Amino acid sequence: MILPINRILLTLLVVLLSTTGCYRPTKELSYDPCLSLIKNCLKENIIIKMNTNKGNVTFELNAQSAPLSASHFLSLVESGLYKGTIFNRVIRQPFPFVLQGGFKDSKYDLESKLKSENESYIQKNNLALSKIPLEIKLQGEDKPRYNKIIYKYDEFNRIKLKHNRGALAMARSEPLDSASIQFYIPLKDLPELDGRYAVFGRVVNGMNVIDSLSEGDLILNMKVIKD
């Protein structure tokens, strides 16, 4: 069973949460990247502080339910790639939808900076900063599913990380393994997005700042907050 999506939401799903890219078919991964090949995927939740031109926001990355997506995001934070990026999509009308950030203009050669020589997510037992697969964890399962849309009713109801207001999720283009640098935050509960996009954390402080941001506002920096 697929939950109904009205025409406005379908348009937003296709256009507003996408980064650039052409369609190509994507197969479900037969292995778990974190458990099988990557040694440095997160095992504990991490707190990230985002400084914007309108105030500070604190995220918690969920290592238990989204270890690959959380680790990828952490690697981008630690490499400084979010410094100077903007919020390029803020949708509040006709109803609150999402805020999307991490965008650099075309003068910034992001693909060259992120791309590994053989364009794999796995390289030398580390995360290559190019693209990662869709990652969704279900209750009752030991590991996330990769590159698989969740649409069956019984599975849909077992999704661990949902698109509640303040969730932190990866934007992607049409291929399921195309998530890269851009992320988004739902401005209201959006179950229409569950099972289609990867949630990997949440806002734990600063939703008032998120609500104040507009298109073109700036991410000054992101950093890990350590105990």
Side-chain angles (χ1 to χ4, degrees):
M1 174 179 178
I2 300 178
L3 294 185
I5 304 176
N6 63 35
R7 184 173 299 175
I8 294 175
L9 281 174
L10 182 58
T11 301
L12 292 173
L13 280 170
V14 172
V15 176
L16 300 176
L17 291 182
S18 296
T19 56
T20 58
C22 299
Y23 174 76
R24 60 181 173 82
T26 315
K27 293 183 179 180
E28 181 181 3
L29 297 188
S30 59
Y31 58 87
D32 179 345
C34 276
L35 295 180
S36 301
L37 296 173
I38 296 179
K39 295 180 180 179
N40 67 339
C41 267
L42 287 174
K43 294 181 172 58
E44 296 182 356
N45 290 4
I46 295 290
I47 302 298
I48 303 291
K49 185 176 182 180
M50 177 176 69
N51 307 111
T52 79
N53 61 303
K54 288 187 175 175
N56 299 329
V57 179
T58 305
F59 300 128
E60 181 180 39
L61 309 187
N62 192 309
Q64 287 72 43
S65 297
L68 182 65
S69 299
S71 298
H72 175 74
F73 186 80
L74 175 62
S75 70
L76 296 174
V77 169
E78 292 183 328
S79 67
L81 279 173
Y82 285 113
K83 184 176 181 179
T85 58
I86 67 168
F87 297 97
N88 60 312
R89 289 169 179 155
V90 181
I91 310 303
R92 303 189 191 278
Q93 299 296 332
F95 48 79
F97 188 59
V98 299
L99 174 143
Q100 184 167 317
F103 177 79
K104 285 271 191 181
D105 65 30
S106 59
K107 295 179 182 178
Y108 184 82
D109 191 0
L110 179 64
E111 286 298 318
S112 294
K113 189 167 182 64
L114 296 185
K115 193 178 296 183
S116 62
E117 290 183 1
N118 58 13
E119 281 196 72
S120 172
Y121 341 111
I122 314 298
Q123 188 162 100
K124 298 179 181 177
N125 294 319
N126 291 298
L127 288 175
L129 304 181
S130 53
K131 300 172 185 176
I132 59 169
L134 175 67
E135 177 182 49
I136 299 176
K137 178 81 177 289
L138 303 186
Q139 295 178 15
E141 297 187 0
D142 293 335
K143 60 185 180 180
R145 299 184 185 187
Y146 293 96
N147 277 354
K148 183 177 182 181
I149 297 280
I150 305 300
Y151 63 91
K152 293 182 179 179
Y153 183 76
D154 60 331
E155 295 178 341
F156 186 89
N157 287 334
R158 292 191 289 119
I159 294 173
K160 291 277 289 184
L161 300 180
K162 297 182 180 293
H163 281 80
N164 298 325
R165 170 174 158 83
L168 180 63
M170 291 302 298
R172 60 173 176 82
S173 54
E174 196 167 357
L176 300 184
D177 60 351
S178 59
S180 181
I181 186 174
Q182 292 189 47
F183 62 92
Y184 65 93
I185 299 166
L187 301 177
K188 60 172 286 187
D189 292 354
L190 294 172
E192 301 85 357
L193 303 185
D194 289 340
R196 297 173 173 85
Y197 296 85
V199 175
F200 64 96
R202 64 190 180 100
V203 175
V204 294
N205 192 29
M207 272 305 293
N208 60 316
V209 176
I210 295 297
D211 289 334
S212 73
L213 291 166
S214 302
E215 288 186 9
D217 278 333
L218 187 66
I219 297 175
L220 303 176
N221 196 19
M222 284 200 204
K223 62 181 180 179
V224 177
I225 303 299
K226 298 181 179 179
D227 296 334

